Amino acid sequence: MSMRLTDQRGFTLAELMVASVISMMILGGAVMMTSQVQQSFRRQIEDSAGEQEGRYALEWVSRLIRAAGNNPYALPLVPGGTSACPVAGTAYAWLIMDPDGDAINDDVRLQTDSNPPDGLVGGPSLGGLCNQANEDVTVSFDPVTNSITFLDNNLGGGATIRTDAVINNLEFVFKDVARQPTANAANVVYVETQVTVRTRMIDPSTGLPATRLLTQEVRVRGRNY
């Protein structure tokens, strides 16, 4: 039995339009899901990078704090003891809270006789060399660059940036032997460093970078504490 061409039916225009719409919906959903997965993966990478930078900062700052007041030659505490570095008459304070005096504990100055341990803080008084690195340093938060900076007060120059621009805040909590906050530097036995890190990804729900607080408490091991 032969079949005529008029018996062959194709898709109607309405059927083609329905099929096209369904295909576009499926493809659109697949593209949207892929984009969401990619954004989630990128956010996880950014969060991990920010946390890693924060933990690096905690470890680095904690090492400096532990060494504060290292004094094998029993240099006298204030009043009565001064160093020639970075300038003549610098008092042995070992740990100075809020060195810039702005009433915000986002910086700390630390002194130690450790590089080398020779009874001098910063260097010999003869000629005012002040060439012993890391014996009088200031660690600070820079809100302009969103980073933690380091200044060697003996070597001079400007503060240098030591972290990526992912630091949202830095705060030091100074505690006594009972782990209670204290405003007296002479009573400080423990220092808790709080670093708030942020990612470069913007949280769509808030329009702000996501943040995370990291903390670490260390005991000041200097011999005067």
Side-chain angles (χ1 to χ4, degrees):
M1 178 178 179
S2 62
M3 184 176 296
R4 294 176 300 174
L5 292 176
T6 54
D7 293 332
Q8 302 295 319
R9 295 188 59 206
F11 295 105
T12 65
L13 180 58
E15 290 173 334
L16 287 173
M17 291 181 65
V18 170
S20 298
V21 170
I22 293 175
S23 298
M24 289 178 64
M25 291 177 62
I26 294 174
L27 289 174
V31 170
M32 184 177 297
M33 183 177 296
T34 301
S35 177
Q36 290 177 346
V37 170
Q38 289 178 337
Q39 289 182 359
S40 177
F41 181 67
R42 182 183 174 189
R43 187 174 293 110
Q44 290 177 356
I45 292 178
E46 291 287 347
D47 286 345
S48 177
E51 182 172 346
Q52 183 177 3
E53 189 69 11
R55 294 196 180 282
Y56 155 75
L58 281 177
E59 290 298 327
W60 163 61
V61 174
S62 294
R63 286 197 300 269
L64 295 175
I65 292 173
R66 286 192 186 98
N70 183 56
N71 185 16
Y73 281 78
L75 297 173
L77 293 173
V78 290
T82 61
S83 171
C85 297
V87 294
T90 298
Y92 297 136
W94 308 115
L95 187 150
I96 302 174
M97 305 155 63
D98 187 25
D100 61 3
D102 63 357
I104 302 175
N105 285 330
D106 61 355
D107 54 355
V108 65
R109 182 173 176 179
L110 308 165
Q111 295 172 322
T112 175
D113 178 21
S114 60
N115 187 37
D118 56 0
L120 304 171
V121 176
S125 58
L126 182 62
L129 294 178
C130 299
N131 57 0
Q132 296 179 353
N134 300 319
E135 291 201 341
D136 188 337
V137 303
T138 300
V139 177
S140 307
F141 170 62
D142 184 358
V144 176
T145 60
N146 289 109
S147 62
I148 298 176
T149 63
F150 174 86
L151 173 64
D152 193 312
N153 298 297
N154 289 317
L155 300 185
T160 58
I161 295 174
R162 291 297 181 92
T163 66
D164 289 340
V166 296
I167 308 300
N168 209 49
N169 192 40
L170 171 68
E171 185 173 354
F172 297 102
V173 181
F174 304 98
K175 303 178 181 180
D176 59 20
V177 67
R179 284 191 166 89
Q180 296 300 310
T182 178
N184 187 347
N187 294 336
V188 174
V189 176
Y190 299 95
V191 179
E192 179 182 329
T193 305
Q194 300 180 352
V195 175
T196 303
V197 297
R198 69 178 187 178
T199 69
R200 295 182 179 90
M201 293 290 293
I202 301 300
D203 187 339
S205 62
T206 63
L208 300 172
T211 60
R212 182 175 303 172
L213 177 65
L214 305 174
T215 67
Q216 182 166 318
E217 180 185 273
V218 297
R219 181 182 176 90
V220 181
R221 294 181 178 176
R223 299 188 180 185
N224 290 295
Y225 289 86

